[in-house]
Amino acid sequence: MFVRRIAVIGTGYVGLTTGACLASLGHDVVCADVDADKIKRLTAGEVDILEPGLAELVAGGIAAGRLTFVLGAAAAVERQPEVMFLCVPTPMGVGGVADLSIVESVIEETRDLLPSGCVVVNKSTVPVGTAERTEELLVRDDVAVVSNPEFLREGSAVYDFLNPDRIVVGGSKQDAAERVAALYSRLGAPTVLTDAPSAELVKYAANCFLAMKLSYVNAVAELCDRLGADITDVTEGMGYDKRIGQAFLQPGPGWGGSCLPKDTSAMLQLADAADFEFRLIRATIDTNTRQRLRMVEKIRLAVTGKKGGSLSHVKIGLLGLTFKAGTDDLRDSPALAVAALLRQAGATLTGYDPALKPGVTHPDLNSITIAEDPYQAAQDAEALIVLTEWPEFRSLDWPRLAGEVRKPIVVDTRNLLDPAVARRAGFEWIGVGKH
């Protein structure tokens, strides 16, 4: 097998996973970041990210001499890479437009240092036209630019990288795109070679479709609530249709995380720039906002017995705060969005999450007391609210929880629990689209 010298700029979820996995495939990889302390920890094999299998891959890459860490993009380029992956943040900027300032900064830092023949790869999620913009900033005819979007789910990023559904690579130079695609040859995945704008749009189109699917199932769950149907049975019946599939058919308190909110907003911006009113995406976002409000309405009715009942000074215990199980990521967490609405309604909040320790600091946690365990979160609560689908919540001592709360009510926004188990413990169980 051929071995490429690769530089990966950025060591977040995407960058570190990309670097460690490419090293595991036999390539010589150097990862760069601007955080000196983080580089020091990574060099020692210490991984801060909660991602199954990642720490082991990093340790293995370091031990094999195929994975190293340096401070700054320029230091990585000094290694004369054949391929440089840009895996830096592209957060939502003003008006929903992706902020490319970090991408542009890295290009400015490295453009005069890149070896001739190097391929610059946009791995971060970027708007259509970013590859062209990158070429303009480089001003290097001897350096190619391609788009190679990532399709990694937090909590299963390593698995997703090593078991991809597809590899998408797009660029104006076919040979450069083929060289990047060849990096993944051992994975045996279907490969889509295309132009850069199409590759850039694939990521947005895929994530927006998933967001639409989630908003759709949440809307169907509301219809189930109104009609007395069971959303679990409805989605099971839908999911056996191969044209639909069973993934992303679980109702919840809304969708969030680091990708879907910013990608749907970015898609709207792309559409607006193209003079196209993308009503489906706008409705998808509006439905998601409504879902969070609907969860608060459900909680309000469960606690007070009235749709307009007051939650002022009502103590509520929250089970789960991260945006999904298996990660410690709080970015755009629907759990925190619901918590913020409860706090606005005057509720007093105590929360527990397996990935968070008491004392953790985050702006969105300021109004929530973080408990050491779920039983502490339940103490004197008027209701417990399941907001994140952590599997361990199913096996809690529910009779003990019933003894801790003031009112044995559990609003399960994820339909995670076995209703019979909760009810045997003395709880009134309230789900989403279920009775």
Side-chain angles (χ1 to χ4, degrees), residues 43 46 49 66 109 189 323:
T43 299
E46 300 174 12
I49 298 172
R66 292 193 298 265
E109 180 182 354
F323 95 91

Side-chain angles (χ1 to χ4, degrees), residues 18 38 49 61 67-68 75 119 121 158 171 180 210 239 319 334 343 388 391 412 416:
T18 297
K38 188 176 185 181
I49 298 172
L67 181 63
T68 55
V119 180
V121 182
V158 170
V180 172
L210 295 176
L319 297 181
R343 188 68 190 91
T388 308
D412 187 355
L416 175 73

Side-chain angles (χ1 to χ4, degrees), residues 13-15 17-18 21 51 85 87 122-126 147-170 184 187 189-194 196-210 248 258-260 263 324:
Y13 279 98
V14 175
T17 300
T18 297
C21 288
E51 194 63 54
F85 282 88
C87 301
N122 278 322
K123 193 73 171 171
S124 304
T125 302
V126 294
S147 176
N148 172 218
E150 52 87 12
F151 301 98
L152 308 178
R153 298 166 297 168
E154 291 186 33
S156 58
V158 170
Y159 177 87
D160 290 345
F161 190 102
L162 298 177
N163 301 273
D165 293 325
R166 75 290 203 194
I167 303 295
V168 178
V169 185
Y184 305 94
L187 302 179
T191 300
V192 178
L193 291 177
T194 183
S198 297
E200 291 164 340
L201 188 56
V202 165
K203 178 60 184 292
Y204 284 119
N207 274 357
C208 287
F209 185 84
L210 295 176
F248 280 71
S258 61
C259 293
L260 298 189
D263 289 355
K324 64 180 288 190

Side-chain angles (χ1 to χ4, degrees), residues 113-132:
L113 305 174
L114 291 167
S116 181
C118 183
V119 180
V120 175
V121 182
N122 278 322
K123 193 73 171 171
S124 304
T125 302
V126 294
V128 175
T130 301
E132 181 180 1

